[in-house]
Every structure is written in structure tokens, then in C-alpha cells.
């Protein structure tokens, strides 16, 4: 996937718009996302391993919501599925679905940094 | 014999007429035949409380005294509608007009005439009680009323302007040998401690208090529209008027 | 109309949501406090005074449902409006929260215009309700003051804040308070008078006035005749 397929440009631009074009605050949000997401990714995998469906649901829920707000729509959709599995307790399906989660997240993180970089360079 | 009662006060407006009219109504309700001598037909007096206009009262006690009318002509049955009572109230207006007083003084007044007139009235109307609503202050006429009374009620308000005059009336009545002296304190503000005040009044004048009547807005509002005790039979004020009525029969 | 600014408590366990909401709400002029979970939210609600709660549903331990239940069971906080934060794919949760007494919901991701509209409507509603409650409370105060007057234990300054209102109720409060103060003053004066009430009679002056009457010819004559006069009446 190219960065533009990982991050939906329109959603990303819409977020910046909602922030009144404040790229610095957008930067803070991205940093916070990047700082908190690895823990959520790990949390999802640990919860699946421990058979803890509620924690899986919550972690996937947060990761979904944060990812979606930046336009990481495919990743958000994957998180949403995981959330749903957590809700219904379908841990085996969750195990399958989460196999490449860390790798996908790493792509999202890189693409997001690239988008932010672009945003910082373009005039407000 | 009929009991003669005078109701007096040093100053005007102490509530004499209201007390006389209401006590008379209670006595009549209790089956008594009551005569009420109203000494002030000129100004709106007690006759108004009985629903009478002075124009409807052409003959007065004075007309009888001067031989211009029979005594019965100067007595008006003013008994208000009351259920099941043989009692009656007769109003005997008496003119205290200055010209009448002047005439009394000029022609030499025989107090015996007045008293004989009252006696005739008592006999003819078979009265149990004759109540005289006197003028405020002491003059010859009030002295005569006081002198012939079995009971004198002196009304006062809890007001320093009444204290000395009340004392004078009581002292004068004592010197005339009036057998029963009673005080009534009227228009007592609700906030005052009536029991404490009664004790003080009794001690000051060495005279029993028949009732401590509170200031009553209802009474004031009713004004001369009618008789309070008939309008408000269950009111605490009516019980106090009854207390006075009961003291007059003994 | 001036937009109402409120004290808003944002409850969300996800830091990114808290950041975004805080920023958006502060940009719109509100004062924002943040709670990271249900337990902290309940603690903050006990300690502070808020006009509105923005409440996430999915949280560890004490979740949004439970926070909402506790708020609605607390008579002192029942009227505090709650807006539920929710993704559009969780509508069944929203429906459940509205059934439990939540005022409205706010979809994620956050749209500043929608946020402004929902928060504004909610605060306006709360303000009207607060005013109505305050009005009724103050009417009750005037009524209570009237009863206290009757009972004689009215404290004159007990209506100070009602009297400070700029409206008709304030006018009533002011008039009542003034009347009450006058009545109290008068009663106190009267009580004082009774306290001091000594029926003072100047005995010397009274004696001289009595003498003036009893020494008059008329009185003397009357006194000598009174026995005869009484006989006319009594026999
Ligand atoms: N207890 C009371 N409470 C309130 N008002 C009263 C009371 N008693 C009398 N009044 C009012 O006081 C006024 C004077 O009463 P009233 O005419 O009976 O007095 P009075 O002594 O006969 O007066 P006067 O000396 O002029 O003949 C009336 O307006 C009456 O309604
Ligand atoms: Mg009178």
C-alpha cells in the first residue's frame, strides 16, 4: 500500500480543518497517537492470548477511533472487526485477524508521519 | 329587679358602643330582655350597630322627660333576627344635644324625673337589664348614670392617655357607692401578653377586669355593619363579650 | 444571543479523544475538566460543580452506563445534563443511554459545528431549567417567609437574595422584606413598651381632679340623693 492508500487524504485534511488549520496541534495529536498506539496493539494481542474479550474490545475500540480520525480507514476497519470479535467473544477469529496487526500499524505510523510532514510544509 | 349597667370611658372611641351592643345581643340570645340607652343620637352611635337610622327614631328619652311623649314611644324594639330566643333588645335613644343640656341646666333638672322614667320603662318592657352607653368623660349626666348603676364598666385602651382618667372614674364611682366596678381593656395589640397586662391593670386600679379584648381587624372591618357576635359566633372575641355579659347578671 | 459558556467534564478513557474534545470545547469558550475513567469522573463530580458531562460509554471498570446510572439516582445531580460520546456504529448503546436519562449524543469523529450546536442547546436548556428551579425555590422562600412572619420567627435578612432579583419576584421580595422589617420593628417597639408598661398614674393630680368633681355642688347633691334614687329603681 502506498501512503495515500493507507491514509485517506480527505479525512486527514478534514481533521486539520476541524482544528482550524493548527498544524502544531495536529502534530501533538499525531505524536500522542504514535505514543499510545503500540501499547494498544500489544494490549490487543495480549488480551487475545489471555482470553480477555472485554479488554480486547476496549483496546480495539480506542485504536479504531484514533486511527479513523486521522483517515487510517483500512486499519480502523480492521480494528473495528477486532472490536466486534471482542464484543462477541470470538477470540479465535480475533487471533487470525490480529496476526499482522503490528506490521499494519507500523505502515500506518510511517504514512501518518509522512502526511504530517507534508502538512507542515504546505502553507496554511 | 332589673340590673342597671353603665358603660363609661374617660376618652372617646374606646369601644363602648360596640361592647354595649354585642353584650346586649348575647344577653338577648340568652333569653334576657335588655334595654339599651343610647346617649348620643346625634353622632353615629349605637343605633347604627342595630341597623337603625336616627330619622327612624323620632322620640327620645328626653321627649318623655319633658312630657312630650309616653315612655313606650321612646323605646324601639331592635331585636336582631335570632333563633329560638325569648330575649329582646329595646333601644332608648336619649338626646344629649347641647340645647337639651342647656335646657336641663336652665330649668333645673330633677334627676328624680329621669330615674322614675327609667323605672317606668323597666316595668313596662319587663326588662332584666338596662345598659346605658354613656358619653366619654365625666359630666353631670354621666355622674347620674354612674350613680344609679348596679354595675359600672369602665373601658380603657392600653394607652397612657387613658390611665389617669380611668382612675378618676373608678374613684368617683367608689365615692358614689356603686356596688360593682369592672374594667374592660379594649383594642389590646395582639403582641401584648394579655394575662400579664390584666394582672397589672387589676393591681393598679384595685378593680377586677371583666375582659381583655384584643384589637380585632374583623371587628374594625365589620365597623357599624352589624353585630360581631351574631356574625362570628365562634370567634374568640365573642367568647370574651360573653364573659362580660355573664358578669352583668350576678 | 450570547452563547452560553459552561463548565464541562469530559469523561473518556482514550487520550486522543480527551485531547480533541478539550481543544474543541476550549476553542468554543468553555471550561473543561478531564476524567480518564468512570471512577475518576464520579470523584470529580462529587468534588466540583459542572454544567454538563460529555461521557464515553466503553471504559474499563466503571463504564459510561454506570456513571449515568449513579448520576440519575443522585437527587442532587439528577438534573445535570449528560451527552454521550459515541461512534455511529454504536447506536444501540446511545439508545440505551438516552433511555437512562442522557440528554443527547455526540458522534465520533468529532465535528466542531455539531459539537457547538449540541453543547449550546444542552447548556441553554439547563440554564432555563436552573432559572425555573431557582425561581420556584425563591417563590417558596417568600412563602416560607410569610409563614415565618405569622409564626413570629421571621429573620429580616432571609430574603436578601430574592430581593436582589431584577424581576417581579425581586420586587415582591423587596416589598415583602420592607413590610416585614416594619412589622418586626413595630412589634419589637410594642414588646418593649409592654416590657416598660407601668401603668403610671400621677396620684396627686388624680386626687385633685377627683376632688374637683366630688366637691362640686352637683356631686354633693347627687351623693346625698343617691340612696333615694336607687330606691326608685330597686323597690
Ligand atoms: N376590639 C376592637 N378592635 C378593633 N377595633 C375596634 C375594637 N373595638 C372597637 N373598635 C372600633 O373602634 C371604633 C370606636 O368604637 P365604638 O364606637 O364602639 O367606641 P365608643 O367608645 O362607643 O366611641 P364614642 O366614644 O365615640 O362613642 C369603631 O370604629 C370600632 O369599630
Ligand atoms: Mg359610642
Amino acid at each position: 500500500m502506498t501512503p495515500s492508500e493507507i491514509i485517506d487524504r480527505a479525512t486527514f485534511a478534514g481533521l486539520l480543518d476541524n482544528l482550524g488549520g493548527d498544524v502544531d496541534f495536529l502534530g501533538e495529536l499525531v505524536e500522542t497517537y504514535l505514543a499510545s498506539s503500540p501499547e494498544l496493539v500489544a494490549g490487543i494481542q495480549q488480551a487475545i492470548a489471555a482470553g480477555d474479550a472485554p479488554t480486547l474490545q476496549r483496546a480495539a475500540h480506542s485504536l479504531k477511533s484514533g486511527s479513523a480520525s486521522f483517515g487510517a480507514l483500512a486499519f480502523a476497519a480492521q480494528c473495528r472487526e477486532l472490536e466486534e470479535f471482542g464484543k462477541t467473544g470470538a477470540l479465535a477469529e480475533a487471533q487470525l485477524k490480529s496476526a499482522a496487526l503490528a506490521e499494519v500499524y507500523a505502515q500506518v505510523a510511517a504514512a501518518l508521519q509522512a502526511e504530517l510532514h507534508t502538512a507542515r510544509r504546505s502553507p496554511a | 329587679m332589673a340590673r342597671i349597667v353603665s358603660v363609661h370611658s374617660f376618652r372617646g372611641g374606646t369601644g363602648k358602643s360596640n361592647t354595649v351592643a354585642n353584650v346586649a345581643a348575647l344577653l338577648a340570645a340568652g333569653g334576657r330582655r335588655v334595654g339599651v340607652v343610647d346617649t348620643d343620637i346625634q353622632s353615629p352611635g349605637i343605633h347604627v350597630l342595630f341597623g337603625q337610622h336616627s330619622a327612624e327614631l323620632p322620640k327620645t328619652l328626653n321627649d318623655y322627660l319633658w312630657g312630650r311623649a309616653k315612655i313606650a314611644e321612646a323605646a324601639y324594639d331592635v331585636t336582631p333576627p335570632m333563633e329560638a330566643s325569648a330575649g329582646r333588645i329595646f333601644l332608648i335613644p336619649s338626646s344629649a344635644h347641647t340645647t337639651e343640656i342647656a335646657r336641663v341646666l336652665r330649668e333645673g333638672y330633677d334627676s328624680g324625673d329621669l330615674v322614675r322614667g327609667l323605672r317606668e320603662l323597666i316595668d313596662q318592657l319587663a326588662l332584666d337589664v338596662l345598659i346605658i352607653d354613656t358619653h366619654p368623660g365625666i359630666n353631670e349626666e354621666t355622674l347620674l348614670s354612674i350613680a344609679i348603676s348596679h354595675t359600672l364598666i369602665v373601658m380603657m385602651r392600653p394607652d397612657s392617655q387613658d390611665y389617669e382618667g380611668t382612675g378618676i372614674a373608678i374613684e368617683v364611682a367608689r365615692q358614689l357607692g356603686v356596688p360593682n366596678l369592672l374594667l374592660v381593656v379594649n383594642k389590646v395589640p395582639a403582641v401584648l401578653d394579655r394575662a400579664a397586662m390584666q394582672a397589672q391593670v387589676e393591681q393598679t386600679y384595685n378593680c377586677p377586669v371583666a375582659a381583655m379584648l384584643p384589637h380585632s381587624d374583623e371587628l374594625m372591618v365589620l365597623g357599624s355593619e352589624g353585630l360581631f357576635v351574631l356574625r362570628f359566633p365562634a370567634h374568640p372575641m365573642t367568647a370574651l363579650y360573653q364573659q362580660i355579659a355573664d358578669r352583668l347578671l350576678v | 444571543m450570547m452563547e452560553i459558556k459552561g463548565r464541562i467534564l469530559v469523561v473518556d478513557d482514550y487520550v486522543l479523544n480527551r485531547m480533541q474534545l478539550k481543544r474543541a470545547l476550549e476553542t468554543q469558550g468553555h471550561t473543561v475538566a478531564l476524567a480518564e475513567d468512570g471512577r475518576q469522573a464520579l470523584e470529580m463530580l462529587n468534588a466540583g460543580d459542572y454544567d454538563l458531562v460529555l461521557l464515553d460509554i466503553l471504559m474499563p471498570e466503571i463504564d459510561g452506563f454506570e456513571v449515568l446510572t449513579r448520576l440519575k439516582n443522585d437527587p442532587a445531580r439528577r438534573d445535570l445534563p449528560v451527552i454521550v460520546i459515541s461512534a455511529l456504529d454504536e447506536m444501540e448503546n446511545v439508545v440505551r443511554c438516552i433511555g437512562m436519562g442522557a440528554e443527547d449524543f455526540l458522534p465520533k469523529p468529532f465535528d466542531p459545528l455539531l459539537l457547538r450546536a449540541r453543547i449550546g442547546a444542552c447548556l441553554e436548556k439547563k440554564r432555563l431549567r436552573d432559572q425555573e428551579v431557582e425561581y420556584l425555590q425563591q417563590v417558596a422562600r417568600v412563602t416560607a417567609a410569610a409563614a415565618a412572619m405569622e409564626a413570629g420567627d421571621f429573620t429580616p435578612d432571609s430574603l436578601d437574595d430574592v430581593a436582589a432579583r431584577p424581576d417581579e419576584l425581586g420586587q415582591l421580595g423587596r416589598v415583602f422584606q420592607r413590610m416585614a422589617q416594619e412589622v418586626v420593628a413595630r412589634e419589637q417597639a410594642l414588646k418593649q413598651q409592654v416590657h416598660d408598661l407601668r401603668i403610671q398614674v400621677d396620684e396627686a393630680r388624680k386626687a385633685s381632679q377627683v376632688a374637683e368633681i366630688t366637691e362640686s355642688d352637683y356631686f354633693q347633691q347627687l351623693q346625698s340623693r343617691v340612696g333615694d334614687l336607687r330606691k326608685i329603681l330597686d323597690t
Side-chain angles (χ1 to χ4, degrees):
Chain A
M1 285 213 276
T2 65
S4 61
E5 287 166 338
I6 295 170
I7 302 293
D8 175 59
R9 284 255 161 84
T11 308
F12 191 84
L15 175 62
L16 184 55
D17 211 35
N18 281 349
L19 297 175
D22 185 344
V23 187
D24 289 339
F25 187 71
L26 180 67
E28 278 179 46
L29 283 181
V30 169
E31 271 168 42
T32 305
Y33 175 79
L34 295 177
S36 60
S37 295
E39 206 180 308
L40 290 171
V41 170
I44 287 170
Q45 274 155 344
Q46 279 157 22
I48 293 170
D52 180 356
T55 303
L56 165 62
Q57 185 193 355
R58 265 197 320 273
H61 175 81
S62 293
L63 196 54
K64 172 195 76 175
S65 132
S67 306
S69 64
F70 294 112
L73 301 183
F75 185 56
Q78 189 181 351
C79 292
R80 183 174 189 281
E81 279 180 83
L82 286 168
E83 182 189 355
E84 201 58 33
F85 292 142
K87 194 173 165 189
T88 56
L91 292 173
E93 289 88 334
Q95 172 105 56
L96 278 174
K97 194 79 203 172
S98 68
L101 195 66
E103 288 73 15
V104 179
Y105 169 68
Q107 290 178 349
V108 169
L112 200 51
Q113 275 166 318
E115 287 298 327
L116 181 63
H117 191 71
T118 313
R120 283 197 200 279
R121 292 185 150 231
S122 56
Chain B
M1 267 319 334
R3 308 287 302 175
I4 315 264
V5 179
S6 283
V7 179
H8 177 74
S9 67
F10 170 66
R11 278 197 303 164
T14 49
K16 294 183 297 294
S17 298
N18 273 278
T19 303
V20 169
N22 282 292
V23 165
L26 288 171
L27 289 168
R32 310 289 165 166
R33 295 174 68 83
V34 187
V36 172
V37 176
D38 180 5
T39 51
D40 194 357
I41 191 73
Q42 303 304 321
S43 63
I46 196 165
H47 59 284
V48 183
L49 289 163
F50 288 112
Q52 308 288 316
H53 296 286
S54 50
E56 294 162 3
L57 307 169
K59 296 281 191 276
T60 66
L61 185 60
N62 310 61
D63 291 310
Y64 160 77
L65 288 176
W66 304 121
R68 293 192 297 243
K70 294 203 175 67
I71 187 73
E73 288 179 279
Y76 302 85
D77 188 337
V78 294
T79 315
M82 288 185 300
E83 31 185 300
S85 169
R88 302 230 68 82
I89 302 173
F90 298 96
L91 181 64
I92 301 99
S94 132
S95 174
H97 202 246
T98 40
T99 58
E100 292 285 352
I101 293 171
R103 189 172 166 195
V104 166
L105 294 175
R106 198 171 55 245
E107 298 185 9
Y109 189 92
D110 182 4
S111 46
D113 284 350
L114 172 69
V115 178
R116 270 184 294 275
L118 292 180
R119 175 62 198 259
E120 204 174 326
L121 194 69
I122 290 168
D123 289 343
Q124 282 194 15
L125 300 174
L127 298 181
D128 298 305
V129 183
L130 181 71
I131 308 177
I132 305 169
D133 181 9
T134 75
H135 270 274
I138 301 255
N139 57 39
E140 295 185 357
E141 176 217 344
T142 52
L143 278 174
L144 179 57
S145 298
I146 291 170
I148 60 167
S149 293
H150 298 103
T151 301
L152 171 68
I153 294 177
V154 182
M155 295 203 62
M156 63 182 282
R157 282 164 301 195
D159 181 332
S160 60
Q161 295 188 43
D162 280 4
Y163 296 158
E164 190 172 298
T166 300
I168 292 168
I170 287 182
E171 185 55 33
V172 167
R174 284 214 170 96
Q175 294 204 22
L176 287 170
V178 176
N180 298 307
L181 293 177
L182 292 173
L183 282 164
V184 167
V185 186
N186 191 22
K187 304 190 185 182
V188 182
V191 287
L192 298 199
D193 177 347
R194 277 190 274 159
M197 171 164 242
Q198 175 166 352
Q200 221 197 343
V201 170
E202 286 180 334
Q203 197 203 331
T204 305
Y205 298 109
N206 188 26
C207 174
V209 169
M212 301 286 295
L213 302 175
H215 173 89
S216 156
D217 286 340
E218 286 108 316
L219 191 143
M220 209 170 61
V221 169
L222 184 61
S224 302
E225 295 293 300
L227 293 170
F228 185 89
V229 296
L230 299 181
R231 191 71 67 91
F232 303 103
H235 196 284
M237 187 82 155
T238 299
L240 292 172
Y241 279 132
Q242 185 68 55
Q243 199 175 303
I244 301 172
D246 292 343
R247 298 286 290 249
L248 303 184
L249 297 169
V250 288
Chain C
M1 201 185 73
M2 255 267 297
E3 251 182 89
I4 309 166
K5 306 303 176 207
R7 290 150 303 176
I8 302 178
L9 178 65
V10 172
V11 188
D12 200 311
D13 64 331
Y14 188 37
V15 57
L16 218 58
N17 287 345
R18 291 198 299 273
M19 278 179 81
Q20 289 191 64
L21 284 172
K22 180 172 155 68
R23 152 110 187 175
L25 292 168
E26 282 179 349
T27 305
Q28 293 170 17
H30 305 290
T31 309
V32 181
L34 300 175
E36 298 189 10
D37 54 42
R39 184 177 311 282
Q40 197 187 0
L42 290 171
E43 278 168 16
M44 292 176 75
L45 284 166
N46 272 329
D49 208 4
Y50 300 96
D51 298 308
L52 178 66
V53 180
L54 277 182
L55 182 64
D56 184 28
I57 300 174
L58 223 58
M59 293 183 293
E61 290 180 73
I62 298 180
D63 63 13
F65 294 122
E66 176 140 9
V67 173
L68 190 58
T69 308
R70 296 214 195 162
L71 280 179
K72 294 299 158 185
N73 285 337
D74 176 357
R77 265 171 268 272
R78 181 171 297 154
D79 290 333
L80 179 62
V82 174
I83 292 181
V84 172
I85 305 166
S86 161
L88 283 169
D89 57 22
E90 303 164 17
M91 284 317 284
E92 79 278 7
N93 286 344
V94 170
V95 171
R96 189 170 148 205
C97 286
I98 302 278
M100 289 167 66
E103 202 73 29
D104 206 340
F105 84 101
L106 190 68
K108 286 188 277 193
F110 308 115
D111 170 355
L113 287 179
L114 193 64
L115 183 72
R116 161 168 277 155
R118 299 240 159 125
I119 302 267
C122 209
L123 289 176
E124 170 67 11
K125 221 162 117 183
K126 170 158 193 292
R127 195 188 62 169
L128 289 176
R129 194 166 45 218
D130 285 353
Q131 276 176 354
E132 194 181 347
V133 166
E134 191 196 3
Y135 189 86
L136 291 176
Q137 277 169 352
Q138 295 196 336
V139 168
R141 297 265 308 285
V142 177
T143 316
M149 278 289 294
E150 290 262 317
D153 55 5
F154 176 73
T155 32
D157 53 3
S158 68
L159 286 178
D160 278 355
D161 51 337
V162 181
R165 292 178 68 102
D167 58 3
E168 282 178 9
L169 180 60
Q171 176 74 10
L172 177 65
R174 285 190 294 280
V175 169
F176 185 90
Q177 196 169 36
R178 204 169 51 235
M179 266 167 46
Q181 275 158 354
E182 278 164 16
V183 169
V184 167
R186 206 171 55 213
E187 292 198 349
Q188 268 164 359
L190 270 170
K191 280 201 185 116
Q192 189 59 34
Q193 229 173 296
V194 171
H195 202 255
D196 303 343
L197 183 99
R198 290 275 160 271
I199 302 182
Q200 301 278 12
V201 177
D202 182 335
E203 287 298 334
R205 210 173 58 193
K206 184 184 112 181
S208 89
Q209 293 206 38
V210 168
E212 200 178 305
I213 295 164
T214 56
E215 282 162 14
S216 70
D217 289 347
Y218 182 82
F219 187 90
Q220 303 270 317
Q221 200 189 330
L222 184 64
Q223 207 171 24
S224 65
R225 292 201 59 195
V226 71
D228 293 337
L229 295 173
R230 285 198 184 122
K231 250 179 238 145
I232 299 173
L233 291 164
D234 287 343
T235 48

